[in-house]
Amino acid sequence: MTTQNLAELGITESILDHPKLVYTDASGKKHKPLGVSINETVFGVFPGTALERGWITYMNIGEPLIEERSSLAQPPPDTLSARVYVNRDTTAPRKFEDTVEFSISNTFSWSVQGTLQLTLGAKESASLQKMIQTQHTVRQSYKESGTDTAYTVQEQATGQAELSGELMLALTGSVSGSLTTSWTSRSTVSGDLVANSRVETRATQRRVAKNYSYEIPIAFAGHFAVNYPVKASTLTPPQDYIAEGVAVVARNIADIELVRDSKFRQRGAAESVSALAVEHTVFERELLTADEQQLHKKPKQG
């Protein structure tokens, strides 16, 4: 637990006035601490630090509990390309070729919300989604001269979303992050276009969205040090029992009741949006028929 975490938790010089840290001697007289040290941080007057004595306070970040939202309406397909190729030659065939470039992607984003938010640090991370799996299907449907061919490709991408944003104390807000895996690809359809005909091509891409809610359990544990103006009785390990007492005493971090008996859950929401499938289609060939129109005015005779 860092100095920044202590500030986020509201632990300042006022900890010297914490009622749970007041020592009552055998005569009933009460003594407030002269100083307190938590890890490397010192409040008031303290000889050295708690860390130098081997007394450490820490946060333990548990495994996220993830729940996927059901009955989520999916977005409609996106039209990437719609083209028409026309051969107006009345005798000779022509070739056509239709190429579409597109991206396959998976974006996983998350936001942390709550009234108590802590900086978890770059190395202390929570795996919100252990594996981000992206499957995409590229389908070509080609109908020309009575043929119909198709192929399917599937790939996987994995990633781990790290929860390492700076989160502030007593602020109801959200800190967002995202992880994207993506790659580009190309699809080409081609064929012969007979005389006096046309053909239409279309490429569409499908997106799939998923929503999650999650909770990250965080617990505080360990010991800190309190410096009294008198010799106080030792209360707990890791300090050895000394009958006559000592001025610097080890105390359990739970004694100052940080958050809900030293435990709370960080809540948030997450979403994944995947561009999964591209369908590149060539529709049936259409013949162009000549339409002889009557003249509006007939030419004069003679």
Side-chain angles (χ1 to χ4, degrees):
M1 192 160 61
T2 66
T3 300
Q4 182 174 350
N5 294 148
L6 297 177
E8 292 166 342
L9 290 165
I11 300 177
T12 62
E13 292 282 343
S14 62
I15 194 174
L16 300 177
D17 298 321
H18 199 293
K20 291 294 183 72
L21 297 184
V22 174
Y23 171 68
T24 303
D25 62 21
S27 65
K29 186 176 180 180
K30 298 182 181 298
H31 304 274
K32 291 172 53 178
L34 296 175
V36 170
S37 177
I38 302 178
N39 292 341
E40 295 180 294
T41 305
V42 172
F43 303 102
V45 179
F46 191 89
T49 66
L51 183 63
E52 292 174 353
R53 296 172 181 265
W55 302 341
I56 300 174
T57 301
Y58 57 92
M59 294 190 306
N60 182 39
I61 303 171
E63 188 72 14
L65 308 174
I66 304 173
E67 181 176 338
E68 183 176 352
R69 177 185 169 190
S70 60
S71 303
L72 181 66
Q74 297 300 321
D78 299 320
T79 299
L80 302 182
S81 172
R83 298 167 183 166
V84 176
Y85 297 89
V86 180
N87 180 12
R88 296 189 180 278
D89 196 304
T90 57
T91 58
R94 295 287 186 270
K95 290 186 176 296
F96 76 94
E97 182 177 280
D98 186 63
T99 299
V100 176
E101 292 187 351
F102 55 91
S103 296
I104 298 297
S105 65
N106 189 99
T107 298
F108 192 84
S109 57
W110 66 95
S111 62
V112 179
Q113 300 173 340
T115 56
L116 181 61
Q117 299 177 341
L118 295 170
T119 300
L120 303 181
K123 293 184 179 180
E124 294 286 353
S125 64
S127 177
L128 303 182
Q129 183 77 352
K130 289 185 176 179
M131 175 174 289
I132 297 178
Q133 178 174 313
T134 300
Q135 292 186 336
H136 73 285
T137 301
V138 181
R139 177 178 174 83
Q140 281 189 356
S141 178
Y142 172 61
K143 289 187 176 181
E144 186 72 28
S145 302
T147 62
D148 184 5
T149 60
Y151 68 88
T152 298
V153 179
Q154 291 185 333
E155 295 185 11
Q156 290 183 342
T158 61
Q160 180 167 318
E162 286 192 351
L163 186 62
S164 58
E166 293 184 357
L167 314 179
M168 306 303 293
L169 175 71
L171 174 65
T172 301
S174 64
V175 174
S176 300
S178 64
L179 173 68
T180 300
T181 56
S182 65
W183 59 92
T184 59
S185 188
R186 174 182 296 186
S187 176
T188 300
V189 292
S190 60
D192 294 323
L193 195 57
V194 300
N196 207 31
S197 68
R198 58 173 246 163
V199 71
E200 179 182 355
T201 66
R202 183 178 302 161
T204 58
Q205 186 169 40
R206 182 170 55 90
R207 289 175 294 136
V208 173
K210 294 183 178 181
N211 288 122
Y212 307 88
S213 61
Y214 64 88
E215 295 183 355
I216 303 173
I218 298 179
F220 302 93
H223 297 83
F224 64 101
V226 183
N227 182 29
Y228 291 105
V230 296
K231 289 186 177 181
S233 58
T234 55
L235 303 177
T236 179
Q239 192 173 24
D240 294 332
Y241 174 75
I242 301 176
E244 65 273 17
V246 290
V248 178
V249 177
R251 299 291 297 267
N252 194 298
I253 194 66
D255 292 346
I256 59 174
E257 300 175 346
L258 285 178
V259 183
R260 303 177 192 173
D261 297 327
S262 299
K263 297 179 181 179
F264 79 101
R265 293 184 181 274
Q266 185 72 72
R267 293 175 171 84
E271 179 185 54
S272 66
V273 178
S274 305
L276 293 183
V278 168
E279 186 171 295
H280 199 174
T281 304
V282 179
F283 294 94
E284 293 281 5
R285 182 187 64 230
E286 300 176 28
L287 295 177
L288 300 178
T289 58
D291 188 5
E292 299 292 340
Q293 300 291 330
Q294 295 290 332
L295 295 177
H296 180 63
K297 290 185 178 180
K298 294 183 179 181
K300 293 181 180 180
Q301 300 295 328

